[in-house]
């Protein structure tokens, strides 16, 4: 079954801070404090390795606001999103703006010379692997206080805030997160630049598959 709830928080970034060793609990997070009409939300971006030998994985890139429609035009606050294309929901493996090479999904592998040209015109977006601290250091330059921010994930059951701000599909059979697998419910952190584009931080765990079926389970 998918997450109990999924949506996006639109607001203004107040500040961020890392979990400290004596307060982080089981997993390590970069915590965002986001101001919205209901109050100040705490958003816990999970950049822990989940005990994986290769650590957490992430991508950082920039997108035009139009790629994220209709989310950029939503009023500040939390909004539920249906787990379906066109709703504004994110899916790392299916959303055309989040592909490994945007606009090239399903294209037959071209000859080497053409691949070199494509790399220059439309560079790929490979995952970077590293420790939780490496991932935190990759995210933090995007976290400029006062910037408009979009946080995708699951709202807290109690209090203002978000969690499951990471890929939410592809967890292996037998893991404690298997039941949360689903499509069009991935978490992400995006901040709006002065030019109107969005800086995007995607994060996943190396144990999560890069190919999933319609139920979000690995294939």
């Amino acid at each position: 079954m998918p997450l109990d709830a999924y949506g996006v928080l639109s607001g203004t970034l107040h500040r961020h801070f890392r979990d400290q060793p004596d307060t982080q609990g089981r997993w390590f997070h970069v915590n965002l404090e986001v101001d919205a009409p209901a109050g100040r939300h705490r958003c816990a971006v999970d950049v822990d390795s989940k005990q994986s030998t290769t650590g957490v994985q992430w991508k950082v890139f920039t997108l035009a606001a139009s790629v994220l429609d209709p989310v950029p035009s939503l009023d500040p606050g939390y909004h539920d999103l249906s787990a379906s294309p066109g709703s504004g929901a994110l899916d790392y493996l299916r959303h055309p703006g989040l592909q490994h090479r945007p606009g090239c999904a399903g294209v037959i592998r071209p000859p080497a010379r053409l691949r070199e040209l494509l790399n220059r015109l439309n560079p790929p977006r490979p995952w970077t692997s590293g420790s939780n601290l490496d991932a935190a250091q990759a995210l933090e330059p995007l976290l400029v206080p006062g910037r408009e921010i979009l946080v995708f994930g699951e709202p807290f059951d109690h209090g203002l805030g978000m969690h499951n701000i990471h890929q939410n599909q592809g967890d292996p059979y037998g893991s404690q997160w298997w039941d949360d697998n689903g499509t069009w419910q991935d978490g992400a952190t995006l901040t709006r630049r002065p030019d109107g584009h969005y800086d995007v931080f995607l994060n996943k765990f190396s144990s999560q598959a890069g190919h999933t079926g319609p139920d979000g389970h690995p294939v």
Side-chain angles (χ1 to χ4, degrees), residues 139-194:
L139 168 60
E140 288 171 333
L142 282 61
L143 304 178
V144 180
R147 269 194 179 188
E148 295 177 25
I149 188 169
L150 299 172
V151 183
F152 292 80
E154 183 177 14
F156 289 154
D157 290 335
H158 305 287
L160 298 176
M162 304 275 285
H163 65 135
N164 281 327
I165 306 169
H166 49 66
Q167 180 171 307
N168 290 304
Q169 60 181 310
D171 278 297
Y173 178 77
S175 79
Q176 68 188 84
W177 303 285
W178 169 266
D179 289 341
D180 289 339
N181 281 336
T183 60
W184 294 100
Q185 58 164 22
D186 287 331
T189 307
L190 298 82
T191 60
R192 188 175 185 273
R193 297 157 54 110

Side-chain angles (χ1 to χ4, degrees), residues 36-214:
R40 184 161 291 165
H41 297 63
R42 184 178 71 84
C43 303
V45 184
D46 191 342
V47 291
D48 199 279
S49 65
K50 293 290 187 289
Q51 301 176 333
S52 164
T53 56
T54 55
V56 67
Q57 298 179 306
W58 65 90
K59 298 181 183 184
V60 179
F61 53 91
T62 302
L63 285 178
S66 58
V67 177
L68 302 165
D69 284 343
V71 169
S73 62
L74 295 175
D75 292 333
Y78 172 78
H79 303 268
D80 284 315
L81 298 174
S82 65
S84 60
S87 70
L90 298 185
D91 187 308
Y92 290 6
L93 310 180
R94 295 167 179 82
H95 192 293
L98 307 184
Q99 296 294 319
H100 174 74
R101 186 188 297 280
C104 295
V107 175
I108 297 174
R109 182 177 173 85
R113 185 172 296 177
L114 180 55
R115 291 202 306 272
E116 181 180 349
L117 177 61
L118 286 172
N119 282 339
R120 293 200 303 267
L121 298 178
N122 191 16
R125 296 174 181 156
W127 291 101
T128 300
S129 297
S131 70
N132 54 358
L133 295 180
D134 294 330
Q137 290 170 353
L139 168 60
E140 288 171 333
L142 282 61
L143 304 178
V144 180
R147 269 194 179 188
E148 295 177 25
I149 188 169
L150 299 172
V151 183
F152 292 80
E154 183 177 14
F156 289 154
D157 290 335
H158 305 287
L160 298 176
M162 304 275 285
H163 65 135
N164 281 327
I165 306 169
H166 49 66
Q167 180 171 307
N168 290 304
Q169 60 181 310
D171 278 297
Y173 178 77
S175 79
Q176 68 188 84
W177 303 285
W178 169 266
D179 289 341
D180 289 339
N181 281 336
T183 60
W184 294 100
Q185 58 164 22
D186 287 331
T189 307
L190 298 82
T191 60
R192 188 175 185 273
R193 297 157 54 110
D195 64 6
H197 286 65
Y198 282 87
D199 288 329
V200 180
F201 180 84
L202 307 184
N203 48 307
K204 66 185 290 287
F205 312 113
S206 57
S207 57
Q208 292 177 312
H211 299 281
T212 64

